[in-house]
Amino acid sequence: MLHIDNLSRPGLKPASFTLKGGECIALGGPSGAGKSLLLRAIADLDPNDGRVEIDGTSRRSIPAPQWRRMVCYLSAESGWWRDRVGDHFTETDAALALLPDLGLAPDTLDWQVSRLSTGERQRLALARVLLLKPRFLLLDEPTANLDPESTERVEGLIKDRLKDGVGILLTTHLAAQARRLATRQLMVEGGSLSEVAL
Amino acid sequence: MSFISLGPLDIAIAALLLVLNAVFSMIMRLNLEKRMAVAAARMVVQLVLMGLVLKTLFDLASPFLTAGVAVFMVLFAGREAMARQTRTFTGWWSYGLGTTSMLIAGAVVTIFALTTQVRPDPWYEARVALPLLGMILGNTMNGIALGIDRLLNGAARERLAIESRLALGHDKAQAFGGVVREALRSGMIPTINAMSAVGLVSIPGMMTGQILAGIEPMEAVKYQLLIMFLIAGGTALGVMGAVLGGVRRLSDDRHRLRLDRLTPEKGKA
């Protein structure tokens, strides 16, 4: 259980909610309302105040890198630090096994990052995160640049993870996607968070 | 020693070349004649003042005055290093990082040279200490300015890559590793290049000065070698201190990328 209590940061008023394992919460709201700020604050990527706990253990008592492997944030824009795609993955076999589920060819790992389309980058970045086997996923617009077929594949992977007991908080602009995946919906407007009917 | 002293008239004749420059600038409409005149006047005043200060310092032979001038030199070099950057830290760090690194590197290397190799008597003799410090500072300042500039711009440019790594649970040493290595390399490469080019492309300024002052070429070479090694050591120390100190400030104990501690990029004219 991921418990968020009065989490705040510049641009975000104190927010509280609980995300259970196996539960998916959709996070909606206009662009620039603070959705990404909330996800980043939970992952502890920006200075923030408030209490965040995982199964009663305070985030503060867990080293930040370890925390981010348990509560993993996927940004809308992905970053790459090597030329070859495969060099961004530590477990090549696991990565190869995951590629077909994302509609990517096995030789993708040998491609140059500069050759990738936005959609390919987005799916590979998701693969990178899934391979960490986090307990909670914070996904920022995971299907924003994908065609309908790839969107369906990604949604399938998200559903699989939910069945495995992973708790997922995802931002989406699509009401239909929120209904397909989530059981609850939160809205951020002007930096304040509220729960709305799905 | 076959030292040839210059009179004011000799210098005035050399300054005639500048008049030629000004005429050239006017014919070609470069609009440089005013700037040239101001720069030349500044040079004359600054150097004459420096000569007077140095003469007084040498005569007084006070360790405290010498240390005071050394600190002044470091503070000025720190300001210059900061001014060369397109992006700096906010607040005190913008000036403090480069200046502190330079103070430590300059002090360590200069005192090391004074106490073990050059050994004037007393060891802090201004006639030896200040020129040594000046040469070490000038080069260290270059390296530090380049290193910090690369580090800060690199971190801002590579934000997505760094934050992706942090989000994947990499620690700050891993996430910043590439940018830090780039910054260290760019800070040290000019010194390495200078070492490989020296003696082929140009006679170094200090050696020229010593030879003109009547020193045997081989004696001048030994001094030049000593200085180059000191510069290389000082630059490495200073760049290391500035870049590693800078990356500490760019991150925090929760392994974040703290671009909020940087000023926006200065407008490039």
Side-chain angles (χ1 to χ4, degrees), chain B residues 103-131:
Chain B
L103 182 67
I104 294 169
V108 166
V109 175
T110 307
I111 292 172
F112 169 69
L114 288 174
T115 52
T116 65
Q117 299 125 63
V118 190
R119 281 176 309 195
D121 182 35
W123 68 268
Y124 52 80
E125 194 187 341
R127 194 179 59 83
V128 183
L130 291 181

Side-chain angles (χ1 to χ4, degrees), chain B residues 103-256:
Chain B
L103 182 67
I104 294 169
V108 166
V109 175
T110 307
I111 292 172
F112 169 69
L114 288 174
T115 52
T116 65
Q117 299 125 63
V118 190
R119 281 176 309 195
D121 182 35
W123 68 268
Y124 52 80
E125 194 187 341
R127 194 179 59 83
V128 183
L130 291 181
L132 274 182
L133 178 68
M135 273 188 284
I136 292 162
L137 275 187
N139 288 272
T140 308
M141 176 184 80
N142 254 327
I144 286 178
L146 281 170
I148 297 180
D149 196 59
R150 259 312 163 85
L151 176 71
L152 303 192
N153 283 308
R157 200 181 50 241
E158 296 291 320
R159 179 183 65 85
L160 280 175
I162 293 169
E163 289 209 319
S164 282
R165 298 191 77 165
L166 293 173
L168 288 166
H170 296 188
D171 64 26
K172 54 186 173 185
Q174 294 171 306
F176 286 91
V179 172
V180 166
R181 272 191 298 277
E182 267 300 299
L184 290 174
R185 283 174 59 89
S186 68
M188 295 200 208
I189 277 177
T191 308
I192 298 172
N193 287 347
M195 282 198 286
S196 47
V198 75
L200 288 176
V201 181
S202 64
I203 304 181
M206 188 201 73
M207 233 176 94
T208 312
Q210 284 195 311
I211 292 173
L212 280 178
I215 308 269
E216 277 293 310
M218 275 319 287
E219 290 300 313
V221 163
K222 281 192 271 178
Y223 257 91
Q224 188 63 39
L225 284 176
L226 178 83
I227 285 291
M228 294 297 283
F229 287 133
L230 296 179
I231 284 172
T235 308
L237 267 182
V239 170
M240 198 87 102
V243 170
L244 297 185
V247 80
R248 278 186 74 96
R249 182 68 184 162
L250 265 179
S251 188
D252 60 21
D253 57 337
R254 294 300 289 175
H255 299 259
R256 301 177 183 120

Side-chain angles (χ1 to χ4, degrees), chain A residues 2-197:
Chain A
L2 185 66
H3 186 66
I4 282 129
D5 186 23
N6 275 315
L7 184 68
S8 68
R9 52 158 295 170
L12 189 71
K13 296 183 185 118
S16 303
F17 64 95
T18 300
L19 176 64
K20 297 194 194 81
E23 180 188 34
C24 178
I25 301 180
L27 185 62
S31 296
K35 300 191 292 289
S36 303
L37 297 186
L38 175 63
L39 298 192
R40 289 175 60 95
I42 297 171
D44 214 3
L45 280 167
D46 295 316
N48 60 84
D49 288 310
R51 275 212 344 264
V52 180
E53 289 176 356
I54 189 164
D55 295 336
T57 308
S58 166
R59 182 177 67 181
R60 223 168 296 158
S61 66
I62 302 172
Q66 196 186 329
W67 171 263
R68 292 183 192 126
R69 285 193 291 268
M70 291 197 288
V71 182
C72 206
Y73 166 68
L74 176 68
S75 58
E77 242 184 310
S78 59
W80 306 86
W81 55 94
R82 300 289 296 269
D83 290 342
R84 189 177 156 270
V85 172
D87 292 339
H88 297 84
F89 293 87
T90 41
E91 301 158 59
T92 311
D93 293 339
L96 282 171
L98 194 57
L99 291 179
D101 296 341
L102 287 159
L104 294 163
D107 66 344
T108 310
L109 291 187
D110 290 319
W111 290 5
Q112 299 290 303
V113 170
S114 53
R115 253 188 66 191
L116 299 174
S117 73
T118 319
E120 285 164 343
R121 281 178 200 230
Q122 196 165 20
R123 281 177 286 163
L124 285 163
L126 177 67
R128 231 167 32 182
V129 165
L130 293 180
L131 288 172
L132 291 176
K133 300 194 173 65
R135 304 216 11 227
F136 292 92
L137 275 170
L138 312 167
L139 305 177
D140 202 345
E141 298 281 356
T143 62
N145 302 298
L146 303 185
D147 56 40
E149 193 201 323
S150 301
T151 302
E152 203 175 310
R153 286 176 191 275
V154 167
E155 288 185 6
L157 279 173
I158 291 175
K159 282 177 192 157
D160 289 346
R161 291 304 178 285
L162 289 170
K163 271 185 222 135
D164 295 344
V166 177
I168 298 178
L169 177 64
L170 93 161
T171 67
T172 178
H173 280 106
L174 309 167
Q177 184 174 56
R179 277 194 296 276
R180 283 198 296 273
L181 296 171
T183 45
R184 291 166 65 197
Q185 182 159 35
L186 296 171
M187 289 293 274
V188 191
E189 258 170 306
S192 56
L193 188 75
S194 57
E195 179 140 12
V196 294

